[in-house]
């Protein structure tokens, strides 16, 4: 948002970071629910029967392959999500665990003299 003298509002960066943090929090809440729904989906599939005239059923092997594919997909989604959270946390805190910047401070190591 531009002000009358051509300067940009200082709060837009903070608002974007807050927005991104909230979206990451939304993903963290949604991912387990999505996983549970996807893993429960084979319970709704019709069962394949041994009778040749019965059509439209899903075999057990197809259901197991689906469950493992969903499981691998959830692992990949959690990995990508953890990278996004780590990147956001490093950016937000400046790469340090205590939130401070590393410039102009000693590293904390004791050197032998």
């Amino acid at each position: 948002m531009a002000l009358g003298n051509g300067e940009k509002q200082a709060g837009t960066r903070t608002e974007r970071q807050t927005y991104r943090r909230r979206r990451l929090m939304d993903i963290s809440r949604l991912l387990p629910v999505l996983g549970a729904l996807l893993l429960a989906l084979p319970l709704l599939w019709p069962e394949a029967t041994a009778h040749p005239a019965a059509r439209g059923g899903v075999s057990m092997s197809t259901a197991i392959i689906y469950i493992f594919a969903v499981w691998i997909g959830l692992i990949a989604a959690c990995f990508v999500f953890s990278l996004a959270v780590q990147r956001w946390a490093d950016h937000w805190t400046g790469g340090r665990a205590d939130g401070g910047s590393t410039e102009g401070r000693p590293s904390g190591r004791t050197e032998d003299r």
Side-chain angles (χ1 to χ4, degrees), residues 13 17 20-21 24 80-101:
R13 179 173 169 83
Q17 289 174 344
R20 289 178 184 154
R21 184 181 70 209
L24 288 174
V80 169
F81 175 70
S82 70
L83 290 178
V85 168
Q86 182 180 9
R87 182 177 171 209
W88 172 79
D90 287 344
H91 179 71
W92 186 262
T93 62
R96 292 193 47 174
D98 61 356
S101 98

Side-chain angles (χ1 to χ4, degrees), residues 60-95:
M60 183 67 76
S61 62
T62 304
I64 295 296
I65 290 171
Y66 170 81
I67 287 173
F68 277 110
V70 168
W71 185 38
I72 290 170
L74 286 172
I75 291 170
C78 287
F79 178 73
V80 169
F81 175 70
S82 70
L83 290 178
V85 168
Q86 182 180 9
R87 182 177 171 209
W88 172 79
D90 287 344
H91 179 71
W92 186 262
T93 62

Side-chain angles (χ1 to χ4, degrees), residues 40-59:
L41 190 61
L43 296 173
L44 300 174
W45 292 347
E47 184 179 343
T49 60
H51 195 276
R55 295 183 183 172
V58 178
S59 67

